[in-house]
Amino acid sequence: MTRPLSVIFYWHMHQPFYCEADTGRYHLPWVYLHAIKDYTDMAEIISQLPGARAVVNYVPSLTAQIEDYAEHLRDFLDGKHKQINDPLLASLAEKSGQFTKSERQFLLESCFRLNHERNMHRYPSYSLLWTMAEHAKHHHAVEYLGDSYFTDLVTWYHLAWLGETVREHNFVARRLIEKGKGFSYQDRRDLLTLIASLLDHIPSTYRKLVADGKIELTTTPYAHPIIPLMLDFNSARATVHDAELPKEPYPGGRERAEEHIALSRSNHERLFGETPAGCWPAEGAVSDETLALMGKAGFKWCATGEAVLHHSLQYNVREQQGNRDLYRPWLVGEGNEQITCFFRDDRLSDLIGFEYSRWQTRDAVNNFMHELAGIHHRTQGMEAPVVAIIMDGENAWEHYHQNALPFLTRLYQSIAEHDDYNLTTFSDYLAEHPASSKLGHLVPGSWVYGNLSTWIGDKAKTRGWELLIEAKHAFDAHIGKLAPNQQEAAREQLRICEGSDWCWWFGDYNPGEAVRDFDNLYRHHLGKLYQLLCCPVPPSLNISISTGGGDAEGGGTMRRGGAGS
């Protein structure tokens, strides 16, 4: 009898720290917008489908901000304070409905940042606001757009960012969408209350999915650092031999990595009430030393990109043995540092992430099932074949019809109801099929092209690291002089500066506007660290690191994993 193919979906939820270092206000709104749309929809879809199962990864830097937003909105709605720490939410809550010239410009720049075809033009009233704005800008007549235009605009932006399941079933959302225009202060306050409720319920919703056996929850080292680089910059040259590197290692990198790992476990336990068995290293960035730290910390398994396996085995697994080596877990390390590693199927993952949004739902799911059938055929005779589909759980869906609700529903159902497949989680798979294949050496790399070039190796990215190294030297020299509460504030700020996203955005493949946002925010975070250390902010932080200029796939938020070497 042919064994079923185990199929595991692994959705990664992550946002960096967007709170401005000096003001305490959020610089970009993506945490709460993805929370009310993608994190809400993903949970509801799995909850409502009997056979649906998945693994979901939440990065502590994200969950900390979700909790902060939820608490802040509760306090505002309860009248405990008068200000909201996010400018878009503050505009939604503005009682007078009147905005200054700069505030109006901010709303015009912000409230059309979404997929126009999928989430704006489907609503005639919202589409009309876009047409009016374009006409006004073309004729230099923006000042003729009245107050009601801007209250309707900020309301529609938030309605369009609500999850599809919320827009379908929530009374407030449906009422406001049907109303279409002329939104009152009470309308906007009702919407704000709905947003607060969605944010507030995310942790408990996912805890219940775990309790019901629907999902496995995992974590990532606290602020999403690229640990192989913290441990040894030379790891980048394992795959890119001419990578430009800083002249000195990151000071105390091992201790910093251990702290991020330990904090991820403690934060996960506090928020979700369980100890995570698995870990998604930031960007799937791994090395032997990185996995040893995770194994020693207590993680049983982790995952990374397919190309890392190509490099480690020194051949392209898609060209030999019918891909079988890709469809098994591998043991890495020895003794109490040993950990099981799963590898991402880049083809299947990238089809969902980048291709299927342009297909009809039925055709996309049929094609995916055809791909699965091919894998099932090629892995016949294996003891326990497993395919891991690992991808961003946030950014792809706005490019799909109805936020991918029809696609994901049909996809889960098609796999769950098919006798050839077993929709499962990594921990449940390992409970029945412990890994036995041993990988002698894991070549350092990530899920992006199997290397670390997205975060280091060119002038701009290396400059980002050099500024961090300088700040870390200041941290080491002054942290002992501070009071305990000052020390903790400085440590948290250092953790924020060590996140992967800053160097990710330093590249000409990214849009200039987004690069400028992250460049400015990174330098502000570094400046805040110096301030917390009671040190002067160096003039070097006034100089831009990168300008960008590309048009990254997925709206400037994702890169393809790349398949092999």
Side-chain angles (χ1 to χ4, degrees), residues 226-233 249-250 253-254 257 287 289-290 293:
I226 302 297
I227 288 181
L229 297 178
M230 297 183 81
L231 297 174
D232 183 4
F233 288 135
Y250 187 61
R254 182 181 179 88
S287 63
E289 295 79 7
T290 301
L293 289 181

Side-chain angles (χ1 to χ4, degrees), residues 538-558:
S540 58
L541 293 184
N542 295 323
I543 302 172
S544 177
I545 300 170
S546 180
T547 57
D551 185 19
E553 204 165 7
T557 51
M558 299 185 291

Side-chain angles (χ1 to χ4, degrees), residues 91-145:
S91 298
L92 182 65
E94 174 55 48
K95 190 170 185 178
S96 71
Q98 298 176 345
F99 302 100
T100 65
K101 183 178 180 179
S102 62
E103 288 170 340
R104 290 180 173 206
Q105 185 61 38
F106 166 73
L107 292 175
L108 286 174
E109 292 172 353
S110 302
C111 292
F112 297 114
R113 284 187 175 184
L114 76 173
N115 186 294
H116 287 194
E117 178 186 356
R118 299 296 192 186
N119 288 319
M120 184 177 73
H121 293 313
R122 67 186 285 193
Y123 297 111
S125 296
Y126 192 12
S127 184
L128 177 61
L129 296 176
W130 163 259
T131 302
M132 292 173 65
E134 290 297 291
H135 186 77
K137 286 186 284 187
H138 180 73
H139 292 282
H140 307 286
V142 170
E143 64 272 17
Y144 288 100
L145 298 174

Side-chain angles (χ1 to χ4, degrees), residues 98-296:
Q98 298 176 345
F99 302 100
T100 65
K101 183 178 180 179
S102 62
E103 288 170 340
R104 290 180 173 206
Q105 185 61 38
F106 166 73
L107 292 175
L108 286 174
E109 292 172 353
S110 302
C111 292
F112 297 114
R113 284 187 175 184
L114 76 173
N115 186 294
H116 287 194
E117 178 186 356
R118 299 296 192 186
N119 288 319
M120 184 177 73
H121 293 313
R122 67 186 285 193
Y123 297 111
S125 296
Y126 192 12
S127 184
L128 177 61
L129 296 176
W130 163 259
T131 302
M132 292 173 65
E134 290 297 291
H135 186 77
K137 286 186 284 187
H138 180 73
H139 292 282
H140 307 286
V142 170
E143 64 272 17
Y144 288 100
L145 298 174
D147 292 332
S148 62
Y149 174 90
F150 289 97
T151 53
D152 281 5
L153 177 61
V154 72
T155 303
W156 262 115
Y157 187 64
H158 287 91
L159 288 173
W161 266 94
L162 289 174
E164 197 70 27
T165 58
V166 181
R167 286 183 283 192
E168 282 188 3
H169 303 300
N170 181 270
F171 172 76
V172 170
R174 291 179 62 184
R175 177 177 65 81
L176 295 182
I177 289 172
E178 289 172 5
K179 184 174 183 178
K181 61 182 180 178
F183 298 114
S184 67
Y185 170 66
Q186 188 59 54
D187 291 333
R188 289 181 280 116
R189 188 175 177 87
D190 289 345
L191 180 54
L192 193 70
T193 302
L194 170 58
I195 290 170
S197 176
L198 293 173
L199 289 164
D200 202 34
H201 283 90
I202 283 173
S204 60
T205 295
Y206 280 85
R207 284 197 299 267
K208 186 176 187 304
L209 288 173
V210 172
D212 292 343
K214 301 287 288 180
I215 66 170
E216 177 180 3
L217 278 176
T218 66
T219 189
T220 293
Y222 181 76
H224 210 260
I226 302 297
I227 288 181
L229 297 178
M230 297 183 81
L231 297 174
D232 183 4
F233 288 135
N234 286 304
S235 62
R237 288 181 172 161
T239 49
V240 182
H241 304 302
D242 60 350
E244 182 177 342
L245 304 178
K247 292 182 172 57
E248 59 177 302
Y250 187 61
R254 182 181 179 88
E255 291 75 18
R256 301 301 308 139
E258 290 173 338
E259 181 177 297
H260 281 276
I261 292 171
L263 281 174
S264 71
R265 292 176 67 80
S266 61
N267 275 268
H268 189 95
E269 290 165 0
R270 177 189 59 79
L271 187 62
F272 295 115
E274 62 160 15
T275 301
C279 178
W280 172 251
E283 307 291 1
V286 294
S287 63
D288 285 331
E289 295 79 7
T290 301
L291 265 60
L293 289 181
M294 292 192 296
K296 188 175 181 180

Side-chain angles (χ1 to χ4, degrees), residues 474-483 486-488 490-491 533:
F475 176 91
D476 292 340
H478 294 90
I479 188 68
K481 304 174 185 178
L482 304 178
Q486 294 174 309
Q487 289 187 10
E488 182 48 41
R491 288 192 179 96
L533 294 169

Side-chain angles (χ1 to χ4, degrees), residues 234-364:
N234 286 304
S235 62
R237 288 181 172 161
T239 49
V240 182
H241 304 302
D242 60 350
E244 182 177 342
L245 304 178
K247 292 182 172 57
E248 59 177 302
Y250 187 61
R254 182 181 179 88
E255 291 75 18
R256 301 301 308 139
E258 290 173 338
E259 181 177 297
H260 281 276
I261 292 171
L263 281 174
S264 71
R265 292 176 67 80
S266 61
N267 275 268
H268 189 95
E269 290 165 0
R270 177 189 59 79
L271 187 62
F272 295 115
E274 62 160 15
T275 301
C279 178
W280 172 251
E283 307 291 1
V286 294
S287 63
D288 285 331
E289 295 79 7
T290 301
L291 265 60
L293 289 181
M294 292 192 296
K296 188 175 181 180
F299 288 111
K300 304 302 181 186
W301 63 264
C302 69
T304 184
E306 172 183 322
V308 174
L309 185 62
H310 298 316
H311 293 150
S312 299
L313 294 176
Q314 298 183 347
Y315 60 82
N316 191 322
V317 298
R318 289 192 176 272
E319 298 174 356
Q320 297 189 28
Q321 301 177 344
N323 309 23
R324 289 186 173 210
D325 285 340
L326 178 61
Y327 302 120
R328 73 174 91 235
W330 292 82
L331 291 169
V332 179
E334 302 290 344
N336 68 343
E337 296 180 345
Q338 190 175 75
I339 191 170
T340 298
C341 192
F342 292 88
F343 292 90
R344 175 184 191 261
D345 185 304
D346 284 348
R347 176 170 172 76
L348 288 182
S349 303
D350 286 347
L351 281 170
I352 296 175
F354 299 101
E355 301 295 338
Y356 286 154
S357 60
R358 296 188 286 266
W359 295 33
Q360 293 294 319
T361 295
R362 181 186 296 273
D363 294 339

